[in-house]
Amino acid sequence: MDDLLRLDALGQAQAVRKGEVSPRELAEAAIARIEAHDGELNAVVHRRFERALAELPGSGGVPPDAPFAGVPTLLKDLGWAMAGEPYRAGSRTLDGMSPERDGYAVTKLRRAGFTILGRTNTSEFGTAITTEPVASGPTRNPYDPGYSSGGSSGGSAAAVAAGMVAVATASDGGGSIRIPASMCGLVGLKPSRGRVSSGPSAGEPWAGFSASGLLCRTVRDAAATLDVIAGTMPGDPYGAPAWERPLADEVGADPGRLRIGFLAEHPGGRFAVDPDPVAAVTAAAGLLAGLGHHVEPGGPAALAEDDFARHFGAVVAAHVAADLEEVGRWRGRPVEFGEVETRNRILAEAGRGLGAVGYVTARGWIDGFRRRMATWWDSHDLLLTPSLGVAPFRLGWLPPDDVSLSRGRTDRAVSFTSPVNATGQPAISLPLHRTAGGMPVGVQLVAAAGREDLLIRVAAQIETAQPFTHPAMR
């Protein structure tokens, strides 16, 4: 059965349709792999195996002709609400809490036939780029258990990289899909703002910075799963522009000769980039040129603006403070600062002190930044950068009680990802490089708002030219 688990989600779905494996057999194989490997990795923090087996296609809940009927998956334990299931968001403040209804994207996953086996580990409230929450302990990287799997979607990334499931859900407010994808050798597509509804519980999480998606092993899975969860529901504040056809149809489509700028170093030199990300981007630029694209150094001048991190951080801090207030209302008693990790206590304090005028001012600055960034895409199709500005890092690299050191390291790490959250553009991380020690390093491609179709075309072209490998699936 391990051979079937090594297939991507589309391959598993095809095997079910052909009768090569039953949904129960596939689910039981995934469960067995979780039980065999998760003791070391700590990726799955809530298991609902018996309920999942009772919900298999043919049991009355899932149509047997659903596109992913019988394919096992896991939900990140942040967002992705599932009625009646424990929900912690990586925090002890939510012990014993369960949502009353499914999130809109979870409803779509279930209608598509996915078998949801449980929930995956995340940093507390998704505010760290490593998954080491006090509430449930660290998630370890399948490539080397001494390393972080990234964050905040590190549990999902570790589960997919280890072969527990072919795809798992994620979310990205500053890089939390692309960073774990880079750290675990996966494909991570952050959709455009408004592409996937956050309803019914939220409108625009973190002022629209955060987007929901999935972590995958193949480009075709990234496309087909986004087709499943994309869409708006009544009451959403906005939606992304519609594609001309399903995203899955873009796999194998000719992208044409694209105009691609690349940055191996951060513009302005404010953040030093480690050698492995530089090598990854340099090699990817050569690969793209060899595929016939016009590739040249350079990127948006706005990326060099020193004020970005301050205003981005102000918006995030305000939302963390508001999120803690909402947790208090949900559970029926206020959250005390002593209940949350030091990083989130400091963020919440800053958010409370910002005030309404300070928050609106920060959002206004981000509005201008988004416009300054967008002008670059008038003359270019794609931007190529590191997914992560630092080399793969070990557990403990972000010390929880040394906030100054952790913040400096985080700012350097997310210097290429968080601006794309602020602009709402789609971006994809592709696993194109390994360190000398064998750890994965990803590169990021960024398109204009709404152009996931273009990202999928060129990502599939790259995957064909340099097929992705997944040695952690031992």
Side-chain angles (χ1 to χ4, degrees), residues 37-65:
H37 293 277
D38 198 49
E40 178 184 37
L41 298 180
N42 190 36
V44 184
V45 293
H46 170 60
R47 302 179 182 190
R48 58 182 310 274
F49 298 159
E50 291 185 8
R51 290 186 184 182
L53 292 174
E55 298 166 353
L56 291 171
S59 61
V62 177
D65 60 348

Side-chain angles (χ1 to χ4, degrees), residues 310-311 314-315 354-368:
R310 176 167 61 90
H311 292 292
V315 172
L354 187 64
V357 172
Y359 175 73
V360 172
T361 298
R363 288 199 61 170
W365 191 95
I366 294 292
D367 287 342

Side-chain angles (χ1 to χ4, degrees), residues 40-315:
E40 178 184 37
L41 298 180
N42 190 36
V44 184
V45 293
H46 170 60
R47 302 179 182 190
R48 58 182 310 274
F49 298 159
E50 291 185 8
R51 290 186 184 182
L53 292 174
E55 298 166 353
L56 291 171
S59 61
V62 177
D65 60 348
F68 288 97
V71 176
T73 192
L74 293 159
L75 304 180
K76 179 180 179 178
D77 196 23
L78 177 67
W80 299 98
M82 193 172 188
E85 300 292 338
Y87 181 89
R88 296 182 86 195
S91 177
R92 296 170 293 181
T93 64
L94 285 166
D95 285 349
M97 303 303 295
S98 298
E100 295 181 355
R101 53 186 175 178
D102 288 354
Y104 187 58
V106 170
T107 298
K108 288 195 159 196
L109 287 174
R110 298 179 85 168
R111 288 175 180 168
F114 281 102
T115 302
I116 299 172
L117 298 180
R119 301 184 72 83
T120 60
N121 206 8
T122 179
S123 62
E124 188 180 59
F125 300 118
T127 58
I129 62 168
T130 185
T131 301
E132 303 177 51
V134 172
S136 49
T139 294
R140 300 180 179 276
N141 194 309
Y143 282 83
D144 184 326
Y147 277 77
S148 170
S149 60
S152 62
S153 309
S156 289
V160 174
M164 299 176 191
V165 291
V167 297
T169 73
S171 56
D172 190 320
S176 290
I177 290 174
R178 293 155 290 160
I179 290 168
S182 179
M183 295 282 281
C184 293
L186 302 174
V187 177
L189 173 60
K190 182 195 84 69
S192 296
R193 181 171 299 168
R195 180 67 67 197
V196 180
S197 175
S198 297
S201 62
E204 45 174 10
W206 282 13
F209 294 173
S210 185
S212 297
L214 288 93
L215 285 155
C216 312
R217 297 189 207 116
T218 62
V219 173
R220 70 174 193 162
D221 269 4
T225 56
L226 185 52
D227 278 334
V228 165
I229 63 171
T232 58
M233 67 178 297
D236 283 347
Y238 42 70
W243 303 309
E244 293 184 358
R245 57 184 179 176
L247 204 58
D249 291 350
E250 304 297 346
V251 177
D254 183 2
R257 187 171 188 262
L258 302 178
R259 303 160 299 170
I260 303 173
F262 75 93
L263 294 170
E265 300 284 354
H266 198 272
R270 181 183 178 195
F271 298 107
V273 181
D274 284 345
D276 275 300
V278 170
V281 168
T282 302
L287 175 61
L288 286 162
L291 291 170
H293 301 294
H294 176 75
V295 182
E296 61 183 10
L303 280 175
E305 295 180 12
D306 290 341
D307 287 340
F308 171 77
R310 176 167 61 90
H311 292 292
F312 184 89
V315 172

